[in-house]
Amino acid sequence: MNPKLVPILWGVVGASVVLLIAAFLPWASVEAGPFSQTVSGTTDGRDGVFTLVLALIAGGIAGSAVFLTAKQPALPLAAGIGAVVAGVISALIAIIDIVDIQGNAPSGLADVSVSVGFGLWLTLLAAVVLAAAGGALLVVRRQHS
C-alpha cells in the first residue's frame, strides 16, 4: 500500500470516531424558565442513529484498509467512497436538523428558548472532515496507482 494513504485512512477513522461520539452528545436544548432539557442525537431513535451507523461503516472500512490492504487492494477505494458517502449524508442530516431546530424555536414566549446543541455542530464538523478525508483518499490513491 502507498504509505501516503495510511495517514489519510487514520484521518477517516478519527473523523468517524468523532462522528460516532457526537451522536450521543446534546443535539438540542430547550430552556423554559428554571427548567432545561437536552436531547441527544440518539434519543428515541432520532437522526443520530443514522450518523452513528454511517460512522461505524466508514470507520470500519478505513480501519480494515489500514491492516488488510495487502490481501484486499480495493479496500482504500472502498474506504474513500464510504467516507465521502457517509460524510455527505451525515452533513445533510446535520444541516436539516439544525434548520429544523432553529425553525421550531417558539416565538412570543419570553421564557422559552430552543437552541442547537454542541453535539449537532460537532456532527456537522466531523461529517465535513470525513467527506474531505474520503475525497483526499480517493485523489491520492488515484495519483499513485
Side-chain angles (χ1 to χ4, degrees):
M1 173 169 47
N2 181 347
K4 291 184 178 184
L5 294 179
V6 175
I8 302 171
L9 285 165
W10 282 118
V12 170
V13 171
S16 296
V17 169
V18 173
L19 185 60
L20 185 138
I21 291 169
F24 296 102
L25 297 174
W27 279 29
S29 63
V30 178
E31 294 181 12
F35 304 102
S36 66
Q37 178 71 38
T38 60
V39 178
S40 77
T42 57
T43 302
D44 297 330
R46 298 199 189 284
D47 290 343
V49 173
F50 297 116
T51 62
L52 184 139
V53 170
L54 290 167
L56 286 172
I57 292 169
I61 296 170
S64 298
V66 170
F67 298 107
L68 301 174
T69 298
K71 294 181 181 181
Q72 294 294 328
L75 277 175
L77 175 63
I81 293 170
V84 169
V85 170
V88 168
I89 292 172
S90 295
L92 288 173
I93 288 171
I95 291 167
I96 290 168
D97 284 356
I98 289 168
V99 169
D100 188 42
I101 290 168
Q102 291 176 341
N104 284 329
S107 58
L109 298 175
D111 279 356
V112 178
S113 67
V114 178
S115 60
V116 175
F118 172 74
L120 190 51
W121 291 113
L122 187 59
T123 296
L124 179 59
L125 177 65
V128 169
V129 170
L130 181 61
L137 185 60
L138 293 173
V139 168
V140 170
R141 183 187 170 281
R142 176 114 171 130
Q143 288 176 346
H144 292 79
S145 62

